[in-house]
PDB file of all heavy atoms in Angstrom:
ATOM      1  N   MET A 766     111.503  80.277-237.504  1.00 39.00           N
ATOM      2  CA  MET A 766     110.985  81.633-237.561  1.00 39.00           C
ATOM      3  C   MET A 766     109.482  81.610-237.705  1.00 39.00           C
ATOM      4  O   MET A 766     108.924  80.805-238.428  1.00 39.00           O
ATOM      5  CB  MET A 766     111.586  82.356-238.752  1.00 39.00           C
ATOM      6  CG  MET A 766     113.014  82.783-238.490  1.00 39.00           C
ATOM      7  SD  MET A 766     113.789  83.329-240.005  1.00 39.00           S
ATOM      8  CE  MET A 766     115.145  82.196-240.096  1.00 39.00           C
ATOM      9  N   ASP A 768     105.735  82.494-238.755  1.00 41.00           N
ATOM     10  CA  ASP A 768     105.207  82.903-240.047  1.00 41.00           C
ATOM     11  C   ASP A 768     104.941  84.383-240.008  1.00 41.00           C
ATOM     12  O   ASP A 768     104.212  84.875-239.168  1.00 41.00           O
ATOM     13  CB  ASP A 768     103.898  82.179-240.312  1.00 41.00           C
ATOM     14  CG  ASP A 768     103.222  82.798-241.513  1.00 41.00           C
ATOM     15  OD1 ASP A 768     103.927  83.103-242.481  1.00 41.00           O
ATOM     16  OD2 ASP A 768     102.016  82.981-241.458  1.00 41.00           O
ATOM     17  N   GLU A 800      95.342  96.537-268.044  1.00 39.00           N
ATOM     18  CA  GLU A 800      96.671  96.460-268.643  1.00 39.00           C
ATOM     19  C   GLU A 800      97.608  97.280-267.781  1.00 39.00           C
ATOM     20  O   GLU A 800      97.615  98.501-267.840  1.00 39.00           O
ATOM     21  CB  GLU A 800      96.636  97.076-270.037  1.00 39.00           C
ATOM     22  CG  GLU A 800      95.711  96.356-270.978  1.00 39.00           C
ATOM     23  CD  GLU A 800      96.508  95.684-272.064  1.00 39.00           C
ATOM     24  OE1 GLU A 800      97.433  96.332-272.592  1.00 39.00           O
ATOM     25  OE2 GLU A 800      96.239  94.525-272.360  1.00 39.00           O
ATOM     26  N   GLU A 802     101.547  97.722-265.955  1.00 43.00           N
ATOM     27  CA  GLU A 802     102.956  97.366-265.927  1.00 43.00           C
ATOM     28  C   GLU A 802     103.229  96.583-264.647  1.00 43.00           C
ATOM     29  O   GLU A 802     102.451  96.638-263.706  1.00 43.00           O
ATOM     30  CB  GLU A 802     103.792  98.649-265.927  1.00 43.00           C
ATOM     31  CG  GLU A 802     103.804  99.312-267.272  1.00 43.00           C
ATOM     32  CD  GLU A 802     104.327  98.369-268.342  1.00 43.00           C
ATOM     33  OE1 GLU A 802     105.494  97.969-268.246  1.00 43.00           O
ATOM     34  OE2 GLU A 802     103.568  98.010-269.255  1.00 43.00           O
ATOM     35  N   SER A 823     101.256 109.229-236.301  1.00 90.00           N
ATOM     36  CA  SER A 823     101.956 110.179-235.442  1.00 90.00           C
ATOM     37  C   SER A 823     103.277 110.569-236.084  1.00 90.00           C
ATOM     38  O   SER A 823     103.775 109.898-236.990  1.00 90.00           O
ATOM     39  CB  SER A 823     102.214 109.544-234.080  1.00 90.00           C
ATOM     40  OG  SER A 823     103.160 108.501-234.235  1.00 90.00           O
ATOM     41  N   HIS A 844     123.653  99.813-254.397  1.00 97.00           N
ATOM     42  CA  HIS A 844     123.728  98.430-254.879  1.00 97.00           C
ATOM     43  C   HIS A 844     123.779  98.392-256.407  1.00 97.00           C
ATOM     44  O   HIS A 844     124.592  97.673-256.999  1.00 97.00           O
ATOM     45  CB  HIS A 844     122.519  97.649-254.371  1.00 97.00           C
ATOM     46  CG  HIS A 844     122.640  96.181-254.564  1.00 97.00           C
ATOM     47  ND1 HIS A 844     123.355  95.384-253.699  1.00 97.00           N
ATOM     48  CD2 HIS A 844     122.186  95.363-255.532  1.00 97.00           C
ATOM     49  CE1 HIS A 844     123.319  94.141-254.118  1.00 97.00           C
ATOM     50  NE2 HIS A 844     122.609  94.092-255.238  1.00 97.00           N
ATOM     51  N   VAL A 852     129.968  95.099-263.842  1.00 92.00           N
ATOM     52  CA  VAL A 852     129.906  94.531-265.188  1.00 92.00           C
ATOM     53  C   VAL A 852     130.459  95.469-266.256  1.00 92.00           C
ATOM     54  O   VAL A 852     130.661  95.054-267.393  1.00 92.00           O
ATOM     55  CB  VAL A 852     128.458  94.134-265.579  1.00 92.00           C
ATOM     56  CG1 VAL A 852     127.948  93.015-264.703  1.00 92.00           C
ATOM     57  CG2 VAL A 852     127.526  95.315-265.525  1.00 92.00           C
ATOM     58  N   LEU A 926     118.835  66.973-270.025  1.00 96.00           N
ATOM     59  CA  LEU A 926     119.223  67.648-268.785  1.00 96.00           C
ATOM     60  C   LEU A 926     120.652  67.261-268.410  1.00 96.00           C
ATOM     61  O   LEU A 926     120.876  66.464-267.510  1.00 96.00           O
ATOM     62  CB  LEU A 926     118.283  67.257-267.640  1.00 96.00           C
ATOM     63  CG  LEU A 926     116.799  67.582-267.762  1.00 96.00           C
ATOM     64  CD1 LEU A 926     116.022  66.984-266.596  1.00 96.00           C
ATOM     65  CD2 LEU A 926     116.569  69.082-267.808  1.00 96.00           C
TER      66      LEU A 926
ATOM     67  N   ARG B1004     104.675  79.310-245.788  1.00 96.00           N
ATOM     68  CA  ARG B1004     105.552  80.106-244.919  1.00 96.00           C
ATOM     69  C   ARG B1004     106.634  80.775-245.760  1.00 96.00           C
ATOM     70  O   ARG B1004     107.834  80.601-245.524  1.00 96.00           O
ATOM     71  CB  ARG B1004     106.188  79.233-243.844  1.00 96.00           C
ATOM     72  CG  ARG B1004     105.188  78.415-243.059  1.00 96.00           C
ATOM     73  CD  ARG B1004     104.561  79.237-241.970  1.00 96.00           C
ATOM     74  NE  ARG B1004     103.275  78.657-241.567  1.00 96.00           N
ATOM     75  CZ  ARG B1004     102.524  79.157-240.596  1.00 96.00           C
ATOM     76  NH1 ARG B1004     102.900  80.224-239.959  1.00 96.00           N
ATOM     77  NH2 ARG B1004     101.372  78.612-240.298  1.00 96.00           N
ATOM     78  N   TYR B1040     117.828  88.457-253.127  1.00 98.00           N
ATOM     79  CA  TYR B1040     116.825  89.517-253.297  1.00 98.00           C
ATOM     80  C   TYR B1040     115.439  89.048-252.865  1.00 98.00           C
ATOM     81  O   TYR B1040     114.651  89.815-252.324  1.00 98.00           O
ATOM     82  CB  TYR B1040     116.778  89.986-254.760  1.00 98.00           C
ATOM     83  CG  TYR B1040     118.067  90.582-255.253  1.00 98.00           C
ATOM     84  CD1 TYR B1040     118.453  90.464-256.580  1.00 98.00           C
ATOM     85  CD2 TYR B1040     118.909  91.284-254.396  1.00 98.00           C
ATOM     86  CE1 TYR B1040     119.639  91.014-257.042  1.00 98.00           C
ATOM     87  CE2 TYR B1040     120.096  91.830-254.837  1.00 98.00           C
ATOM     88  CZ  TYR B1040     120.460  91.692-256.173  1.00 98.00           C
ATOM     89  OH  TYR B1040     121.629  92.227-256.615  1.00 98.00           O
ATOM     90  N   LEU B1076     108.124  76.906-235.944  1.00 97.00           N
ATOM     91  CA  LEU B1076     109.125  77.133-236.985  1.00 97.00           C
ATOM     92  C   LEU B1076     110.160  78.153-236.513  1.00 97.00           C
ATOM     93  O   LEU B1076     111.362  78.000-236.724  1.00 97.00           O
ATOM     94  CB  LEU B1076     108.403  77.640-238.244  1.00 97.00           C
ATOM     95  CG  LEU B1076     109.044  77.414-239.600  1.00 97.00           C
ATOM     96  CD1 LEU B1076     109.379  75.958-239.789  1.00 97.00           C
ATOM     97  CD2 LEU B1076     108.069  77.873-240.685  1.00 97.00           C
ATOM     98  N   TRP B1077     109.665  79.165-235.851  1.00 97.00           N
ATOM     99  CA  TRP B1077     110.541  80.230-235.360  1.00 97.00           C
ATOM    100  C   TRP B1077     111.490  79.677-234.288  1.00 97.00           C
ATOM    101  O   TRP B1077     112.686  79.950-234.302  1.00 97.00           O
ATOM    102  CB  TRP B1077     109.667  81.345-234.778  1.00 97.00           C
ATOM    103  CG  TRP B1077     110.415  82.552-234.319  1.00 97.00           C
ATOM    104  CD1 TRP B1077     110.947  83.533-235.092  1.00 97.00           C
ATOM    105  CD2 TRP B1077     110.693  82.901-232.967  1.00 97.00           C
ATOM    106  NE1 TRP B1077     111.547  84.485-234.299  1.00 97.00           N
ATOM    107  CE2 TRP B1077     111.405  84.118-232.996  1.00 97.00           C
ATOM    108  CE3 TRP B1077     110.407  82.307-231.724  1.00 97.00           C
ATOM    109  CZ2 TRP B1077     111.840  84.767-231.835  1.00 97.00           C
ATOM    110  CZ3 TRP B1077     110.844  82.950-230.572  1.00 97.00           C
ATOM    111  CH2 TRP B1077     111.551  84.169-230.625  1.00 97.00           C
ATOM    112  N   THR B1080     114.113  77.254-236.033  1.00 97.00           N
ATOM    113  CA  THR B1080     115.161  77.952-236.778  1.00 97.00           C
ATOM    114  C   THR B1080     116.068  78.720-235.819  1.00 97.00           C
ATOM    115  O   THR B1080     117.281  78.783-236.023  1.00 97.00           O
ATOM    116  CB  THR B1080     114.548  78.920-237.806  1.00 97.00           C
ATOM    117  OG1 THR B1080     113.532  79.685-237.186  1.00 97.00           O
ATOM    118  CG2 THR B1080     113.972  78.179-238.983  1.00 97.00           C
ATOM    119  N   GLU B1132      99.174 101.517-234.670  1.00 91.00           N
ATOM    120  CA  GLU B1132     100.247 102.189-235.380  1.00 91.00           C
ATOM    121  C   GLU B1132     101.492 101.326-235.582  1.00 91.00           C
ATOM    122  O   GLU B1132     102.036 101.290-236.690  1.00 91.00           O
ATOM    123  CB  GLU B1132     100.601 103.489-234.650  1.00 91.00           C
ATOM    124  CG  GLU B1132     101.298 104.452-235.542  1.00 91.00           C
ATOM    125  CD  GLU B1132     101.327 105.836-234.920  1.00 91.00           C
ATOM    126  OE1 GLU B1132     100.371 106.585-235.139  1.00 91.00           O
ATOM    127  OE2 GLU B1132     102.316 106.153-234.235  1.00 91.00           O
ATOM    128  N   ARG B1226     105.184  99.794-273.331  1.00 95.00           N
ATOM    129  CA  ARG B1226     104.692  98.500-272.879  1.00 95.00           C
ATOM    130  C   ARG B1226     104.655  97.460-273.989  1.00 95.00           C
ATOM    131  O   ARG B1226     105.074  96.331-273.825  1.00 95.00           O
ATOM    132  CB  ARG B1226     103.294  98.677-272.280  1.00 95.00           C
ATOM    133  CG  ARG B1226     102.781  97.470-271.541  1.00 95.00           C
ATOM    134  CD  ARG B1226     101.484  97.786-270.831  1.00 95.00           C
ATOM    135  NE  ARG B1226     100.550  98.447-271.731  1.00 95.00           N
ATOM    136  CZ  ARG B1226      99.809  97.799-272.636  1.00 95.00           C
ATOM    137  NH1 ARG B1226      99.925  96.501-272.759  1.00 95.00           N
ATOM    138  NH2 ARG B1226      98.984  98.449-273.418  1.00 95.00           N
ATOM    139  N   ASN B1267      98.097  91.720-267.017  1.00 94.00           N
ATOM    140  CA  ASN B1267      96.908  91.114-267.614  1.00 94.00           C
ATOM    141  C   ASN B1267      97.175  89.696-268.095  1.00 94.00           C
ATOM    142  O   ASN B1267      96.309  88.834-268.008  1.00 94.00           O
ATOM    143  CB  ASN B1267      96.325  91.993-268.726  1.00 94.00           C
ATOM    144  CG  ASN B1267      97.362  92.339-269.766  1.00 94.00           C
ATOM    145  OD1 ASN B1267      98.559  92.180-269.513  1.00 94.00           O
ATOM    146  ND2 ASN B1267      96.934  92.800-270.919  1.00 94.00           N
TER     147      ASN B1267
END
Side-chain angles (χ1 to χ4, degrees):
Chain A
M766 284 169 239
D768 169 41
E800 298 247 316
E802 286 303 297
S823 68
H844 192 81
V852 295
L926 299 174
Chain B
R1004 308 278 158 178
Y1040 298 148
L1076 205 53
W1077 184 76
T1080 47
E1132 201 166 272
R1226 191 173 49 80
N1267 54 344

